[in-house]
Amino acid sequence: MSTDNMTAALSSPSLNLSFDLRSAPFYQKNDQNFILQQFQKQLPVMQNLGLLDIYLSRGNSVEAHWHPNAAELVYVIQGEAVVSILNPFTLQVLTYRVKPPQTVYIPMGWWHWEIALTDRTHLLAIFDNSAAQTVFGSDVLRKTPPEVFQIIYGVNAAQLAEVLKPITQTVIIGPPDAAQAQLQQGVPIQY
């Protein structure tokens, strides 16, 4: 929005600066694992700011992904989580075990993921872009032909295709329900 358009929007008698995130689900796995969103699309007056309101139960995670056009600040409201980030310059995985009121900063374009260590984990992801984009790992894996991995890495394309076969859509919050059942049977989450 240009400066003139923003000035007009802010001086409008119908100015709206309020939004209920419950009206804008981004993704829902189930009643305990879901993400709500607020970006410029939901509240047009927002500039250079967006957020995801993330709710996770123990063992669930926001799948590995990156944002090609936004940096992110993850703020822990409730529970405990591990936020991991791959530094593309050193190739070191940076892992942070966080509780309220701690934050983790994720630079634009860096591969990262979050895993809930407790039930009722509540995170807020704040972006410096009102239209943040996300590239999910499940999409990269399922859309890259296994033969490409064979050519580049020397892996067996047929075996890899079989391993990746269960990934039929964008995951966003994982694991699948069957794997989650195993976690609930006492498999510990170690970090």
Side-chain angles (χ1 to χ4, degrees):
M1 200 180 276
S2 72
T3 304
D4 290 340
N5 289 345
M6 179 55 81
T7 301
L10 292 175
S11 62
S12 167
S14 62
L15 176 64
N16 181 19
L17 299 176
S18 175
F19 184 75
D20 184 348
L21 273 77
R22 292 173 292 188
S23 69
F26 174 72
Y27 178 80
Q28 182 161 358
K29 176 181 174 184
N30 55 40
D31 290 343
Q32 293 81 40
N33 297 280
F34 59 94
I35 303 172
L36 306 174
Q37 65 181 332
Q38 182 175 336
F39 290 94
Q40 190 171 28
K41 181 179 179 184
Q42 288 76 33
L43 187 63
V45 74
M46 284 182 58
Q47 294 290 301
N48 302 318
L49 183 65
L51 65 88
L52 294 175
D53 194 16
I54 304 166
Y55 297 82
L56 298 171
S57 59
R58 180 183 181 274
N60 279 270
S61 64
V62 177
E63 77 163 305
H65 62 282
W66 73 88
H67 307 284
N69 69 341
E72 176 180 352
L73 183 69
V74 176
Y75 172 70
V76 183
I77 296 170
Q78 180 178 323
E80 186 174 6
V82 168
V83 178
S84 296
I85 308 162
L86 175 63
N87 180 327
F89 301 105
T90 65
L91 300 181
Q92 178 184 11
V93 174
L94 308 169
T95 299
Y96 303 95
R97 188 173 180 146
V98 289
K99 297 178 181 180
Q102 296 173 321
T103 64
V104 177
Y105 177 76
I106 303 163
M108 180 171 44
W110 287 31
W111 183 250
H112 62 283
W113 58 95
E114 298 88 13
I115 301 172
L117 298 178
T118 62
D119 284 332
R120 292 179 294 284
T121 295
H122 185 186
L123 309 172
L124 192 62
I126 305 159
F127 300 91
D128 65 354
N129 188 319
S130 58
Q133 300 167 335
T134 304
V135 178
F136 290 104
S138 56
D139 292 336
V140 172
L141 288 173
R142 71 190 176 92
K143 296 293 184 177
T144 304
E147 294 78 19
V148 171
F149 290 108
Q150 181 171 329
I151 291 167
I152 296 171
Y153 305 112
V155 299
N156 181 299
Q159 288 176 339
L160 182 60
E162 191 61 31
V163 167
L164 298 178
K165 191 175 181 179
I167 306 172
T168 59
Q169 61 187 6
T170 306
V171 173
I172 302 179
I173 296 177
D177 290 333
Q180 183 64 28
Q182 290 176 341
L183 282 172
Q184 292 173 346
Q185 293 175 3
V187 177
I189 299 171
Q190 304 259 334
Y191 276 97

